[in-house]
Amino acid sequence: AFLDEARRTLAQAERTLAAARSAVSGRRTLRLAFVDSTINILLPRILQAFRHQHGALDFQLQEDTTAGQLEALREDRIDAGLIVLPVDRQPGLYTHLLVDGDMRVALPEGHRLARHARLRLEQLAGEPWLLFPRHYGPGMHDLIVAACAAAGFVPEVVQEARQMQTIAGLVAGGIGVALVPSLLQPLRPPGVTFRPLQGRRARIPYRLALAYRTPSELIERFRETAQAIAAAPAFRMA
């Protein structure tokens, strides 16, 4: 506990020094982390819009898992993060929903199930699965496993990968099937066929949120921009 407090104190001191330097130079810095499913579409549009609206700003960007971002927020190593809900309730943690999407079935191109326009989750029983390790995103991981259990099976995980885009690549390689965020579908990764779920367990939510611990005018402006971009039709039904 003492070591954690010392690290937080050091991080806050470094942040204060960086803020002072920014004030002298007329620039501001936002330390922002993000999950990899936002990289190709959502995040670039948010960054573009924010810089267009608010001018001089330096972003310190880093890709990280939801669990990693929550730890970085606790230790004051980042100012805000784009995380995947649900997460355990934590004192002092603010979350604002950006995208309320769902998970889609990702199949290797030419897979026998690809002839169906929609799939029931139980049709994936017995298939080799790709999934991310639970400690990287326990909330989303548990939703997937619980949905499979409700459908009467335990997913046979043959390969784990931390990033959703890596999982999509492994699907394309024929390693197995997976559930991936609908945010990835517009990217149309080669070799992957996407199908929505149908039936009683037709929706497994994929909810992306902005998370932070220390409110500020800068973060509030970033939140407004992020929510405005995420409200566009391309993301509203993602």
Side-chain angles (χ1 to χ4, degrees):
F2 175 79
L3 182 57
D4 289 342
E5 183 61 32
R7 286 172 175 163
R8 280 194 292 268
T9 301
L10 179 60
Q12 288 169 353
E14 291 174 345
R15 184 178 176 187
T16 300
L17 180 59
R21 288 171 177 161
S22 295
V24 171
S25 65
R27 300 189 67 88
R28 297 163 296 167
T29 300
L30 183 66
R31 302 171 301 169
L32 179 69
F34 52 89
V35 290
D36 75 300
S37 57
T38 66
I39 292 173
N40 288 293
I41 300 179
L42 181 62
L43 181 62
R45 293 186 186 180
I46 291 173
L47 298 180
Q48 265 187 340
F50 191 86
R51 281 184 164 140
H52 177 73
Q53 294 167 3
H54 300 291
L57 181 71
D58 290 322
F59 284 101
Q60 292 181 8
L61 301 170
Q62 65 182 74
E63 184 272 327
D64 205 349
T65 62
T66 291
Q69 291 184 55
L70 293 177
E71 182 179 351
L73 285 168
R74 284 193 299 270
E75 296 177 356
D76 195 34
R77 289 185 280 109
I78 60 173
D79 301 311
L82 299 177
I83 67 169
V84 178
L85 301 176
V87 296
D88 291 337
R89 297 183 67 176
Q90 300 179 18
L93 180 69
Y94 298 84
T95 60
H96 295 274
L97 184 65
L98 298 180
V99 174
D100 189 6
D102 57 28
M103 301 293 278
R104 304 282 170 89
V105 180
L107 304 166
E109 201 169 62
H111 191 280
R112 60 181 180 80
L113 292 176
R115 68 178 186 272
H116 301 286
R118 293 175 176 271
L119 294 171
R120 299 185 310 278
L121 193 55
E122 48 265 38
Q123 289 177 274
L124 301 179
E127 294 287 335
W129 274 65
L130 302 161
L131 190 60
F132 54 94
R134 185 180 185 276
H135 61 270
Y136 286 138
M140 188 73 251
H141 184 282
D142 290 351
L143 282 179
I144 292 173
V145 172
C148 292
F153 72 98
V154 175
E156 299 178 14
V157 179
V158 297
Q159 179 69 52
E160 292 186 324
R162 163 179 151 158
Q163 295 181 324
M164 285 293 183
Q165 295 194 56
T166 301
I167 288 176
L170 293 173
V171 169
I175 305 300
V177 304
L179 292 179
V180 300
S182 48
L183 273 179
L184 293 183
Q185 186 166 350
L187 300 178
R188 296 179 179 170
V192 181
T193 298
F194 293 93
R195 292 292 182 265
L197 288 167
Q198 68 175 357
R200 288 186 299 124
R201 289 163 288 273
R203 187 168 190 268
I204 301 175
Y206 181 81
R207 305 174 73 227
L208 189 76
L210 177 70
Y212 56 90
R213 283 188 169 272
T214 306
S216 68
E217 181 182 356
L218 181 59
I219 289 178
E220 179 65 15
R221 289 180 179 178
F222 185 82
R223 178 192 64 78
E224 291 173 352
T225 300
Q227 288 184 318
I229 295 299
F235 302 116
R236 193 162 53 241
M237 297 303 291

